[in-house]
Amino acid sequence: MGPAAGDEAFVSLYRRFRPGRFADLMGQPHVVAGLQHAVRDDRVAHAYLFSGPRGTGKTSAARILARALNCESPKDGEPCGVCDSCVEIARGASLDVHELDAASNNGVDAMRDLVAHAALATPGRWKVYIVDEVHMLSNAAANALLKTLEEPPGHVVFVLATTDPQKVPATIRSRTQHYEFRLFGFETLVELLRTVRDAARLDLDEDVLALAARRGRGSARDALSALDQLAASGSVGDERPGLAAVLDAICEEDAQAILVAATALHEAGWAPQQLPVEVVDDLRQAFLLAVAPELASVDGPERQRLHDQAARLGLPRLVRAMELLGRAQVDMREAPDARVVLEVTLVRVARVDLDPSVSGLAERVARLEQAQGAGGAPSAGAARSEAGPAPVRSPGARPTLGAVRKERQAAAPPPEPVAEEEPPAVVVEEPVVPGEPLDRDTLVEAWGDHILRSLPPLAKALYSAGRFLAVEDGTAVFAVANAPHRDRCADLQPAVEDALASHFGVRVPIRLVLDTESDTSAGPPRPSRSASGPPAAAETDPADLGDDDFDPDAPGVIVEIDSLVQARLLEAFPGAEEVQP
Ligand SMILES: [Zn+2]
C-alpha cells in the first residue's frame, strides 16, 4: 500500500493504492500464480500479453513483475517493497521500467525508440517494457515490435497490455504468453474497497462501499473513483434521491410521476446525462434479479425493492426500458437540449402506447394476447390511449392497436372468421373485417405516406425495395426481386404486419412473392409462416413473457431480443450491412 496522502494535494485512491506485491493484486489469482511462480523459478517469458477490461490490474501486474525481477531481496517470487529498486519502480522513477501508451503514441518512431532502448542491456538488471493498448499501434510500429519479439534481447520482458486482444496481430500474439484479466466480482470489489478504506482511514460505512463497488461495474479503477467521490460527498444517505420514484413511475406507467421525479433529481443537481445511467443501472440489477439473481450486486432493502420492481415490470418491459434509456444516452450527446431527449424517452418508457418501436409494439401485442387469453379487456397501457374518430388516421393521431380494436368491436358485431386455418384463440388480430375491403391504392398510399417510415430500420431497408402488387381477400401481396431477399423479408414480416395492423386497425396478412411478372396470382403460396399457419406474433408467443411469470429461456425472448439487437445495430451504424454467416 502506498503512503497516506495527508495534507498533500489530492491524489486519487486509485493511484495511492496501487498494489505493490502479487499478494495485493486482487481478483486475478490465475495471473498472480503464473507470474509469481515464473519469477521464483526463473522461467520468465520474454513477452506477455495482458488482456482484459480497463481497471482490472494489467499495468499494475506489469509493474509488480518489474519489481519482483529487479528486487534486491525477493521472497518466494515477491518483491520486498523496501529496497532501492522496489522504491524507485513504485515512484515511477526507475530506468528499468518503460511505458508506452499506444493509445496516445502509436507511431513507429516511439516504438523504434523503445526497441533501441531494449537493446541496451544493463548487466544484472531486467528491463520491463510495458506497451499499453498495444492493439492501437500503427502497422509500422507493430512490425518494429514484432521484429524485436522475434529476437528478444536478454533480460528484457515485454508486457503488452490491451483491452481488445482480438485486434492484436496474430503474429505478435503468438509470440507472447497470454493472461486474461477478468472483471472483478462484486464481493472482490467490496473487499478491495474495504482494504483501501481502512488503509486510508476513511470514515465510510458498508453501504457506501457497496454502492461504490456497484458503480465500479467490475473495474477496480472505476470503483475507487466512485469511492473518491462518495468520500468527498460524505455519505450515501440521500445520494440518489428520487431514483426509486423513477422506477416506481415506470412500474405504474405514470408519465406525469416520472417527469416529476426527473425534475426533482434535476433540481437536486443531477445532470440530465446522469439519470439514464443510474436508472439503467437499477434496471439492470432488477433484470439480473429476475433472470440470474446470483449475478446481481445489490444487497439489503435495495435488493428487495429492485426484486419487487422487476416482478411488477416483467422482463419485456425491463428490456425495453433499458434499450430506450440506453439509446437516449447516445442521443443526448448530440442533442442541443439533452433534457428534451431525456423527458421524451422517460415518457416513452412509462407509456408503452406512445412508443412506436418494435419492442413497444411487441409489448402491446403481448398485452392484447394476455387480455384476450384471460377473456378480459386490454390492460392499462393499451386501454389508456384515446381512440380517434376514424379508423384510418394520420400518424400523428394514430391510436393504439388495442384502442382501434375496441372501437371496432363496439361499432360492429364480431366478424365471422373467414375460412382460414388460424384458430381464433391464439390469433392476435382479427382477419380483415368483411364489408370494408382494403384496396391496393389505399394500402400503397398509406404505405408510402406513413407505414414504411414507421418500420424499424432493418424492415424499412428490406421492404422499401419491394412493392405491393395487390390485395387479395384481405391479404397484401408484396413482391420482391429475388428469393434471398424474400426470405429476409419473411423474417421481418411480423413487424411489418404489426405496423399494418396498427395503421389500419385490422390484421393485414402479407404474402411475399417474387417480382418476376405482373401476374401475381400465379405464384404458389409460400409454405412458410407468411401465407398460412399461425401469425408470426403467436410464433414468438409473447404471452410467455407475462408480467408475473417470465421465463428467460422461452424461445420468444431470444427471438425478440435478437431481432431488436439487429435493428439497434443498424440504427447505431447507418448503412451497415448484416453479413450472413
Ligand atoms: Zn525489493
PDB file of all heavy atoms in Angstrom, residues 184-218:
ATOM      1  N   PHE A 184     -13.730  -7.677 -11.933  1.00  0.00           N
ATOM      2  CA  PHE A 184     -13.822  -8.067 -10.529  1.00  0.00           C
ATOM      3  C   PHE A 184     -15.256  -8.427 -10.186  1.00  0.00           C
ATOM      4  O   PHE A 184     -16.185  -7.754 -10.629  1.00  0.00           O
ATOM      5  CB  PHE A 184     -13.400  -6.904  -9.630  1.00  0.00           C
ATOM      6  CG  PHE A 184     -11.937  -6.596  -9.683  1.00  0.00           C
ATOM      7  CD1 PHE A 184     -11.380  -5.967 -10.773  1.00  0.00           C
ATOM      8  CD2 PHE A 184     -11.112  -6.953  -8.637  1.00  0.00           C
ATOM      9  CE1 PHE A 184     -10.036  -5.687 -10.835  1.00  0.00           C
ATOM     10  CE2 PHE A 184      -9.755  -6.676  -8.685  1.00  0.00           C
ATOM     11  CZ  PHE A 184      -9.213  -6.044  -9.786  1.00  0.00           C
ATOM     12  N   GLY A 185     -15.408  -9.456  -9.384  1.00  0.00           N
ATOM     13  CA  GLY A 185     -16.733  -9.752  -8.853  1.00  0.00           C
ATOM     14  C   GLY A 185     -17.115  -8.704  -7.813  1.00  0.00           C
ATOM     15  O   GLY A 185     -16.251  -7.993  -7.279  1.00  0.00           O
ATOM     16  N   PHE A 186     -18.392  -8.609  -7.560  1.00  0.00           N
ATOM     17  CA  PHE A 186     -18.878  -7.605  -6.618  1.00  0.00           C
ATOM     18  C   PHE A 186     -18.206  -7.767  -5.257  1.00  0.00           C
ATOM     19  O   PHE A 186     -17.721  -6.801  -4.665  1.00  0.00           O
ATOM     20  CB  PHE A 186     -20.407  -7.737  -6.498  1.00  0.00           C
ATOM     21  CG  PHE A 186     -21.022  -6.803  -5.504  1.00  0.00           C
ATOM     22  CD1 PHE A 186     -21.056  -5.441  -5.742  1.00  0.00           C
ATOM     23  CD2 PHE A 186     -21.573  -7.291  -4.331  1.00  0.00           C
ATOM     24  CE1 PHE A 186     -21.628  -4.580  -4.823  1.00  0.00           C
ATOM     25  CE2 PHE A 186     -22.148  -6.440  -3.420  1.00  0.00           C
ATOM     26  CZ  PHE A 186     -22.168  -5.077  -3.667  1.00  0.00           C
ATOM     27  N   GLU A 187     -18.149  -9.013  -4.764  1.00  0.00           N
ATOM     28  CA  GLU A 187     -17.573  -9.238  -3.439  1.00  0.00           C
ATOM     29  C   GLU A 187     -16.095  -8.850  -3.399  1.00  0.00           C
ATOM     30  O   GLU A 187     -15.613  -8.274  -2.425  1.00  0.00           O
ATOM     31  CB  GLU A 187     -17.744 -10.708  -3.024  1.00  0.00           C
ATOM     32  CG  GLU A 187     -19.181 -11.114  -2.737  1.00  0.00           C
ATOM     33  CD  GLU A 187     -19.821 -10.243  -1.653  1.00  0.00           C
ATOM     34  OE1 GLU A 187     -19.091  -9.784  -0.747  1.00  0.00           O
ATOM     35  OE2 GLU A 187     -21.036 -10.001  -1.729  1.00  0.00           O
ATOM     36  N   THR A 188     -15.390  -9.180  -4.466  1.00  0.00           N
ATOM     37  CA  THR A 188     -13.966  -8.839  -4.519  1.00  0.00           C
ATOM     38  C   THR A 188     -13.783  -7.330  -4.480  1.00  0.00           C
ATOM     39  O   THR A 188     -12.892  -6.809  -3.793  1.00  0.00           O
ATOM     40  CB  THR A 188     -13.339  -9.403  -5.805  1.00  0.00           C
ATOM     41  OG1 THR A 188     -13.698 -10.778  -5.918  1.00  0.00           O
ATOM     42  CG2 THR A 188     -11.829  -9.265  -5.785  1.00  0.00           C
ATOM     43  N   LEU A 189     -14.631  -6.622  -5.221  1.00  0.00           N
ATOM     44  CA  LEU A 189     -14.528  -5.167  -5.226  1.00  0.00           C
ATOM     45  C   LEU A 189     -14.797  -4.593  -3.841  1.00  0.00           C
ATOM     46  O   LEU A 189     -14.085  -3.699  -3.381  1.00  0.00           O
ATOM     47  CB  LEU A 189     -15.516  -4.561  -6.232  1.00  0.00           C
ATOM     48  CG  LEU A 189     -15.038  -4.449  -7.679  1.00  0.00           C
ATOM     49  CD1 LEU A 189     -16.090  -3.743  -8.514  1.00  0.00           C
ATOM     50  CD2 LEU A 189     -13.717  -3.702  -7.762  1.00  0.00           C
ATOM     51  N   VAL A 190     -15.817  -5.125  -3.182  1.00  0.00           N
ATOM     52  CA  VAL A 190     -16.131  -4.626  -1.837  1.00  0.00           C
ATOM     53  C   VAL A 190     -14.939  -4.872  -0.913  1.00  0.00           C
ATOM     54  O   VAL A 190     -14.544  -3.995  -0.125  1.00  0.00           O
ATOM     55  CB  VAL A 190     -17.410  -5.302  -1.282  1.00  0.00           C
ATOM     56  CG1 VAL A 190     -17.604  -4.939   0.182  1.00  0.00           C
ATOM     57  CG2 VAL A 190     -18.631  -4.888  -2.086  1.00  0.00           C
ATOM     58  N   GLU A 191     -14.336  -6.052  -1.047  1.00  0.00           N
ATOM     59  CA  GLU A 191     -13.181  -6.377  -0.205  1.00  0.00           C
ATOM     60  C   GLU A 191     -12.026  -5.413  -0.477  1.00  0.00           C
ATOM     61  O   GLU A 191     -11.383  -4.898   0.444  1.00  0.00           O
ATOM     62  CB  GLU A 191     -12.769  -7.819  -0.517  1.00  0.00           C
ATOM     63  CG  GLU A 191     -11.869  -8.453   0.519  1.00  0.00           C
ATOM     64  CD  GLU A 191     -11.408  -9.829   0.037  1.00  0.00           C
ATOM     65  OE1 GLU A 191     -12.190 -10.506  -0.657  1.00  0.00           O
ATOM     66  OE2 GLU A 191     -10.267 -10.192   0.346  1.00  0.00           O
ATOM     67  N   LEU A 192     -11.805  -5.150  -1.766  1.00  0.00           N
ATOM     68  CA  LEU A 192     -10.748  -4.209  -2.127  1.00  0.00           C
ATOM     69  C   LEU A 192     -11.022  -2.829  -1.549  1.00  0.00           C
ATOM     70  O   LEU A 192     -10.132  -2.183  -0.960  1.00  0.00           O
ATOM     71  CB  LEU A 192     -10.653  -4.132  -3.660  1.00  0.00           C
ATOM     72  CG  LEU A 192      -9.795  -3.014  -4.234  1.00  0.00           C
ATOM     73  CD1 LEU A 192      -8.318  -3.295  -3.987  1.00  0.00           C
ATOM     74  CD2 LEU A 192     -10.032  -2.851  -5.731  1.00  0.00           C
ATOM     75  N   LEU A 193     -12.272  -2.389  -1.690  1.00  0.00           N
ATOM     76  CA  LEU A 193     -12.632  -1.055  -1.188  1.00  0.00           C
ATOM     77  C   LEU A 193     -12.496  -0.993   0.333  1.00  0.00           C
ATOM     78  O   LEU A 193     -12.075   0.024   0.891  1.00  0.00           O
ATOM     79  CB  LEU A 193     -14.064  -0.712  -1.603  1.00  0.00           C
ATOM     80  CG  LEU A 193     -14.289  -0.560  -3.120  1.00  0.00           C
ATOM     81  CD1 LEU A 193     -15.758  -0.318  -3.411  1.00  0.00           C
ATOM     82  CD2 LEU A 193     -13.458   0.586  -3.669  1.00  0.00           C
ATOM     83  N   ARG A 194     -12.811  -2.104   0.982  1.00  0.00           N
ATOM     84  CA  ARG A 194     -12.695  -2.153   2.437  1.00  0.00           C
ATOM     85  C   ARG A 194     -11.228  -1.988   2.832  1.00  0.00           C
ATOM     86  O   ARG A 194     -10.893  -1.223   3.749  1.00  0.00           O
ATOM     87  CB  ARG A 194     -13.257  -3.479   2.937  1.00  0.00           C
ATOM     88  CG  ARG A 194     -13.726  -3.442   4.375  1.00  0.00           C
ATOM     89  CD  ARG A 194     -14.330  -4.784   4.776  1.00  0.00           C
ATOM     90  NE  ARG A 194     -15.688  -4.972   4.276  1.00  0.00           N
ATOM     91  CZ  ARG A 194     -16.117  -6.063   3.628  1.00  0.00           C
ATOM     92  NH1 ARG A 194     -15.288  -7.072   3.408  1.00  0.00           N
ATOM     93  NH2 ARG A 194     -17.356  -6.143   3.229  1.00  0.00           N
ATOM     94  N   THR A 195     -10.361  -2.710   2.130  1.00  0.00           N
ATOM     95  CA  THR A 195      -8.924  -2.617   2.417  1.00  0.00           C
ATOM     96  C   THR A 195      -8.440  -1.186   2.248  1.00  0.00           C
ATOM     97  O   THR A 195      -7.725  -0.640   3.098  1.00  0.00           O
ATOM     98  CB  THR A 195      -8.142  -3.527   1.447  1.00  0.00           C
ATOM     99  OG1 THR A 195      -8.778  -4.797   1.397  1.00  0.00           O
ATOM    100  CG2 THR A 195      -6.710  -3.692   1.893  1.00  0.00           C
ATOM    101  N   VAL A 196      -8.852  -0.560   1.139  1.00  0.00           N
ATOM    102  CA  VAL A 196      -8.415   0.807   0.863  1.00  0.00           C
ATOM    103  C   VAL A 196      -8.988   1.766   1.900  1.00  0.00           C
ATOM    104  O   VAL A 196      -8.291   2.654   2.402  1.00  0.00           O
ATOM    105  CB  VAL A 196      -8.831   1.224  -0.565  1.00  0.00           C
ATOM    106  CG1 VAL A 196      -8.645   2.717  -0.768  1.00  0.00           C
ATOM    107  CG2 VAL A 196      -8.032   0.433  -1.589  1.00  0.00           C
ATOM    108  N   ARG A 197     -10.269   1.564   2.230  1.00  0.00           N
ATOM    109  CA  ARG A 197     -10.891   2.444   3.224  1.00  0.00           C
ATOM    110  C   ARG A 197     -10.112   2.393   4.539  1.00  0.00           C
ATOM    111  O   ARG A 197      -9.815   3.428   5.141  1.00  0.00           O
ATOM    112  CB  ARG A 197     -12.339   2.004   3.474  1.00  0.00           C
ATOM    113  CG  ARG A 197     -12.997   2.786   4.609  1.00  0.00           C
ATOM    114  CD  ARG A 197     -14.254   2.129   5.120  1.00  0.00           C
ATOM    115  NE  ARG A 197     -13.973   0.834   5.738  1.00  0.00           N
ATOM    116  CZ  ARG A 197     -14.917   0.015   6.211  1.00  0.00           C
ATOM    117  NH1 ARG A 197     -16.184   0.356   6.095  1.00  0.00           N
ATOM    118  NH2 ARG A 197     -14.602  -1.140   6.752  1.00  0.00           N
ATOM    119  N   ASP A 198      -9.777   1.169   4.970  1.00  0.00           N
ATOM    120  CA  ASP A 198      -9.081   1.037   6.241  1.00  0.00           C
ATOM    121  C   ASP A 198      -7.691   1.650   6.161  1.00  0.00           C
ATOM    122  O   ASP A 198      -7.266   2.349   7.085  1.00  0.00           O
ATOM    123  CB  ASP A 198      -9.001  -0.441   6.651  1.00  0.00           C
ATOM    124  CG  ASP A 198     -10.392  -1.015   6.900  1.00  0.00           C
ATOM    125  OD1 ASP A 198     -11.341  -0.204   7.032  1.00  0.00           O
ATOM    126  OD2 ASP A 198     -10.534  -2.249   6.943  1.00  0.00           O
ATOM    127  N   ALA A 199      -7.011   1.405   5.046  1.00  0.00           N
ATOM    128  CA  ALA A 199      -5.655   1.936   4.911  1.00  0.00           C
ATOM    129  C   ALA A 199      -5.680   3.462   4.859  1.00  0.00           C
ATOM    130  O   ALA A 199      -4.783   4.130   5.377  1.00  0.00           O
ATOM    131  CB  ALA A 199      -4.997   1.367   3.665  1.00  0.00           C
ATOM    132  N   ALA A 200      -6.684   4.021   4.230  1.00  0.00           N
ATOM    133  CA  ALA A 200      -6.767   5.472   4.083  1.00  0.00           C
ATOM    134  C   ALA A 200      -7.500   6.115   5.253  1.00  0.00           C
ATOM    135  O   ALA A 200      -7.661   7.335   5.282  1.00  0.00           O
ATOM    136  CB  ALA A 200      -7.463   5.830   2.777  1.00  0.00           C
ATOM    137  N   ARG A 201      -7.972   5.292   6.167  1.00  0.00           N
ATOM    138  CA  ARG A 201      -8.713   5.755   7.353  1.00  0.00           C
ATOM    139  C   ARG A 201      -9.887   6.643   6.947  1.00  0.00           C
ATOM    140  O   ARG A 201     -10.057   7.756   7.444  1.00  0.00           O
ATOM    141  CB  ARG A 201      -7.792   6.504   8.315  1.00  0.00           C
ATOM    142  CG  ARG A 201      -6.688   5.608   8.857  1.00  0.00           C
ATOM    143  CD  ARG A 201      -6.064   6.224  10.110  1.00  0.00           C
ATOM    144  NE  ARG A 201      -4.867   5.482  10.476  1.00  0.00           N
ATOM    145  CZ  ARG A 201      -3.635   5.809  10.058  1.00  0.00           C
ATOM    146  NH1 ARG A 201      -3.459   6.857   9.281  1.00  0.00           N
ATOM    147  NH2 ARG A 201      -2.592   5.084  10.428  1.00  0.00           N
ATOM    148  N   LEU A 202     -10.653   6.142   6.015  1.00  0.00           N
ATOM    149  CA  LEU A 202     -11.844   6.878   5.589  1.00  0.00           C
ATOM    150  C   LEU A 202     -13.014   6.439   6.456  1.00  0.00           C
ATOM    151  O   LEU A 202     -13.152   5.261   6.776  1.00  0.00           O
ATOM    152  CB  LEU A 202     -12.163   6.581   4.121  1.00  0.00           C
ATOM    153  CG  LEU A 202     -11.098   7.025   3.113  1.00  0.00           C
ATOM    154  CD1 LEU A 202     -11.421   6.479   1.727  1.00  0.00           C
ATOM    155  CD2 LEU A 202     -11.015   8.542   3.076  1.00  0.00           C
ATOM    156  N   ASP A 203     -13.845   7.410   6.805  1.00  0.00           N
ATOM    157  CA  ASP A 203     -14.985   7.102   7.651  1.00  0.00           C
ATOM    158  C   ASP A 203     -16.203   6.823   6.768  1.00  0.00           C
ATOM    159  O   ASP A 203     -17.070   7.673   6.599  1.00  0.00           O
ATOM    160  CB  ASP A 203     -15.250   8.282   8.597  1.00  0.00           C
ATOM    161  CG  ASP A 203     -16.384   7.959   9.567  1.00  0.00           C
ATOM    162  OD1 ASP A 203     -16.655   6.756   9.776  1.00  0.00           O
ATOM    163  OD2 ASP A 203     -16.992   8.903  10.090  1.00  0.00           O
ATOM    164  N   LEU A 204     -16.204   5.635   6.195  1.00  0.00           N
ATOM    165  CA  LEU A 204     -17.295   5.286   5.284  1.00  0.00           C
ATOM    166  C   LEU A 204     -17.859   3.935   5.694  1.00  0.00           C
ATOM    167  O   LEU A 204     -17.105   3.002   5.978  1.00  0.00           O
ATOM    168  CB  LEU A 204     -16.769   5.200   3.849  1.00  0.00           C
ATOM    169  CG  LEU A 204     -16.180   6.483   3.265  1.00  0.00           C
ATOM    170  CD1 LEU A 204     -15.519   6.198   1.927  1.00  0.00           C
ATOM    171  CD2 LEU A 204     -17.266   7.535   3.099  1.00  0.00           C
ATOM    172  N   ASP A 205     -19.191   3.829   5.703  1.00  0.00           N
ATOM    173  CA  ASP A 205     -19.747   2.541   6.134  1.00  0.00           C
ATOM    174  C   ASP A 205     -19.947   1.605   4.943  1.00  0.00           C
ATOM    175  O   ASP A 205     -19.695   1.948   3.798  1.00  0.00           O
ATOM    176  CB  ASP A 205     -21.029   2.725   6.958  1.00  0.00           C
ATOM    177  CG  ASP A 205     -22.095   3.430   6.161  1.00  0.00           C
ATOM    178  OD1 ASP A 205     -22.012   3.383   4.919  1.00  0.00           O
ATOM    179  OD2 ASP A 205     -22.992   4.036   6.764  1.00  0.00           O
ATOM    180  N   GLU A 206     -20.427   0.409   5.271  1.00  0.00           N
ATOM    181  CA  GLU A 206     -20.500  -0.658   4.265  1.00  0.00           C
ATOM    182  C   GLU A 206     -21.432  -0.305   3.107  1.00  0.00           C
ATOM    183  O   GLU A 206     -21.200  -0.724   1.980  1.00  0.00           O
ATOM    184  CB  GLU A 206     -20.963  -1.958   4.932  1.00  0.00           C
ATOM    185  CG  GLU A 206     -19.947  -2.558   5.895  1.00  0.00           C
ATOM    186  CD  GLU A 206     -18.759  -3.192   5.167  1.00  0.00           C
ATOM    187  OE1 GLU A 206     -18.996  -3.955   4.206  1.00  0.00           O
ATOM    188  OE2 GLU A 206     -17.611  -2.911   5.539  1.00  0.00           O
ATOM    189  N   ASP A 207     -22.487   0.468   3.391  1.00  0.00           N
ATOM    190  CA  ASP A 207     -23.401   0.860   2.313  1.00  0.00           C
ATOM    191  C   ASP A 207     -22.675   1.623   1.222  1.00  0.00           C
ATOM    192  O   ASP A 207     -22.908   1.442   0.029  1.00  0.00           O
ATOM    193  CB  ASP A 207     -24.522   1.762   2.867  1.00  0.00           C
ATOM    194  CG  ASP A 207     -25.529   0.959   3.652  1.00  0.00           C
ATOM    195  OD1 ASP A 207     -25.396  -0.285   3.640  1.00  0.00           O
ATOM    196  OD2 ASP A 207     -26.431   1.574   4.258  1.00  0.00           O
ATOM    197  N   VAL A 208     -21.783   2.504   1.673  1.00  0.00           N
ATOM    198  CA  VAL A 208     -21.036   3.317   0.717  1.00  0.00           C
ATOM    199  C   VAL A 208     -20.114   2.420  -0.098  1.00  0.00           C
ATOM    200  O   VAL A 208     -19.988   2.576  -1.328  1.00  0.00           O
ATOM    201  CB  VAL A 208     -20.231   4.401   1.456  1.00  0.00           C
ATOM    202  CG1 VAL A 208     -19.481   5.270   0.463  1.00  0.00           C
ATOM    203  CG2 VAL A 208     -21.156   5.237   2.309  1.00  0.00           C
ATOM    204  N   LEU A 209     -19.474   1.474   0.582  1.00  0.00           N
ATOM    205  CA  LEU A 209     -18.591   0.561  -0.133  1.00  0.00           C
ATOM    206  C   LEU A 209     -19.375  -0.221  -1.188  1.00  0.00           C
ATOM    207  O   LEU A 209     -18.931  -0.388  -2.327  1.00  0.00           O
ATOM    208  CB  LEU A 209     -17.923  -0.421   0.840  1.00  0.00           C
ATOM    209  CG  LEU A 209     -17.048   0.189   1.940  1.00  0.00           C
ATOM    210  CD1 LEU A 209     -16.344  -0.924   2.712  1.00  0.00           C
ATOM    211  CD2 LEU A 209     -16.023   1.150   1.355  1.00  0.00           C
ATOM    212  N   ALA A 210     -20.562  -0.694  -0.804  1.00  0.00           N
ATOM    213  CA  ALA A 210     -21.368  -1.481  -1.734  1.00  0.00           C
ATOM    214  C   ALA A 210     -21.773  -0.637  -2.941  1.00  0.00           C
ATOM    215  O   ALA A 210     -21.729  -1.100  -4.079  1.00  0.00           O
ATOM    216  CB  ALA A 210     -22.603  -2.032  -1.029  1.00  0.00           C
ATOM    217  N   LEU A 211     -22.135   0.601  -2.670  1.00  0.00           N
ATOM    218  CA  LEU A 211     -22.538   1.471  -3.778  1.00  0.00           C
ATOM    219  C   LEU A 211     -21.357   1.747  -4.716  1.00  0.00           C
ATOM    220  O   LEU A 211     -21.485   1.669  -5.944  1.00  0.00           O
ATOM    221  CB  LEU A 211     -23.099   2.789  -3.237  1.00  0.00           C
ATOM    222  CG  LEU A 211     -23.558   3.782  -4.302  1.00  0.00           C
ATOM    223  CD1 LEU A 211     -24.690   3.191  -5.131  1.00  0.00           C
ATOM    224  CD2 LEU A 211     -24.008   5.083  -3.665  1.00  0.00           C
ATOM    225  N   ALA A 212     -20.195   2.025  -4.126  1.00  0.00           N
ATOM    226  CA  ALA A 212     -19.011   2.287  -4.955  1.00  0.00           C
ATOM    227  C   ALA A 212     -18.649   1.042  -5.758  1.00  0.00           C
ATOM    228  O   ALA A 212     -18.281   1.132  -6.934  1.00  0.00           O
ATOM    229  CB  ALA A 212     -17.840   2.725  -4.084  1.00  0.00           C
ATOM    230  N   ALA A 213     -18.777  -0.129  -5.136  1.00  0.00           N
ATOM    231  CA  ALA A 213     -18.465  -1.374  -5.846  1.00  0.00           C
ATOM    232  C   ALA A 213     -19.410  -1.559  -7.027  1.00  0.00           C
ATOM    233  O   ALA A 213     -19.011  -1.965  -8.117  1.00  0.00           O
ATOM    234  CB  ALA A 213     -18.568  -2.562  -4.895  1.00  0.00           C
ATOM    235  N   ARG A 214     -20.676  -1.216  -6.802  1.00  0.00           N
ATOM    236  CA  ARG A 214     -21.647  -1.329  -7.895  1.00  0.00           C
ATOM    237  C   ARG A 214     -21.307  -0.365  -9.024  1.00  0.00           C
ATOM    238  O   ARG A 214     -21.362  -0.709 -10.195  1.00  0.00           O
ATOM    239  CB  ARG A 214     -23.030  -0.981  -7.351  1.00  0.00           C
ATOM    240  CG  ARG A 214     -24.027  -2.075  -7.537  1.00  0.00           C
ATOM    241  CD  ARG A 214     -25.342  -1.644  -6.969  1.00  0.00           C
ATOM    242  NE  ARG A 214     -26.187  -1.059  -7.990  1.00  0.00           N
ATOM    243  CZ  ARG A 214     -27.331  -0.429  -7.696  1.00  0.00           C
ATOM    244  NH1 ARG A 214     -27.708  -0.312  -6.453  1.00  0.00           N
ATOM    245  NH2 ARG A 214     -28.058   0.063  -8.653  1.00  0.00           N
ATOM    246  N   ARG A 215     -20.947   0.847  -8.630  1.00  0.00           N
ATOM    247  CA  ARG A 215     -20.586   1.842  -9.644  1.00  0.00           C
ATOM    248  C   ARG A 215     -19.370   1.392 -10.445  1.00  0.00           C
ATOM    249  O   ARG A 215     -19.198   1.773 -11.593  1.00  0.00           O
ATOM    250  CB  ARG A 215     -20.246   3.166  -8.974  1.00  0.00           C
ATOM    251  CG  ARG A 215     -21.401   3.849  -8.322  1.00  0.00           C
ATOM    252  CD  ARG A 215     -21.950   4.900  -9.249  1.00  0.00           C
ATOM    253  NE  ARG A 215     -23.060   5.574  -8.635  1.00  0.00           N
ATOM    254  CZ  ARG A 215     -22.947   6.682  -7.913  1.00  0.00           C
ATOM    255  NH1 ARG A 215     -21.758   7.237  -7.744  1.00  0.00           N
ATOM    256  NH2 ARG A 215     -24.004   7.223  -7.390  1.00  0.00           N
ATOM    257  N   GLY A 216     -18.489   0.637  -9.789  1.00  0.00           N
ATOM    258  CA  GLY A 216     -17.274   0.187 -10.473  1.00  0.00           C
ATOM    259  C   GLY A 216     -17.555  -0.741 -11.624  1.00  0.00           C
ATOM    260  O   GLY A 216     -16.776  -0.838 -12.553  1.00  0.00           O
ATOM    261  N   ARG A 217     -18.689  -1.420 -11.588  1.00  0.00           N
ATOM    262  CA  ARG A 217     -19.075  -2.339 -12.651  1.00  0.00           C
ATOM    263  C   ARG A 217     -17.915  -3.242 -13.051  1.00  0.00           C
ATOM    264  O   ARG A 217     -17.612  -3.410 -14.226  1.00  0.00           O
ATOM    265  CB  ARG A 217     -19.582  -1.568 -13.869  1.00  0.00           C
ATOM    266  CG  ARG A 217     -20.852  -0.775 -13.592  1.00  0.00           C
ATOM    267  CD  ARG A 217     -21.321   0.027 -14.781  1.00  0.00           C
ATOM    268  NE  ARG A 217     -22.562   0.716 -14.482  1.00  0.00           N
ATOM    269  CZ  ARG A 217     -22.614   1.955 -13.996  1.00  0.00           C
ATOM    270  NH1 ARG A 217     -21.516   2.633 -13.790  1.00  0.00           N
ATOM    271  NH2 ARG A 217     -23.775   2.515 -13.736  1.00  0.00           N
ATOM    272  N   GLY A 218     -17.246  -3.797 -12.049  1.00  0.00           N
ATOM    273  CA  GLY A 218     -16.207  -4.791 -12.325  1.00  0.00           C
ATOM    274  C   GLY A 218     -14.813  -4.226 -12.447  1.00  0.00           C
ATOM    275  O   GLY A 218     -13.845  -4.969 -12.551  1.00  0.00           O
TER     276      GLY A 218
END
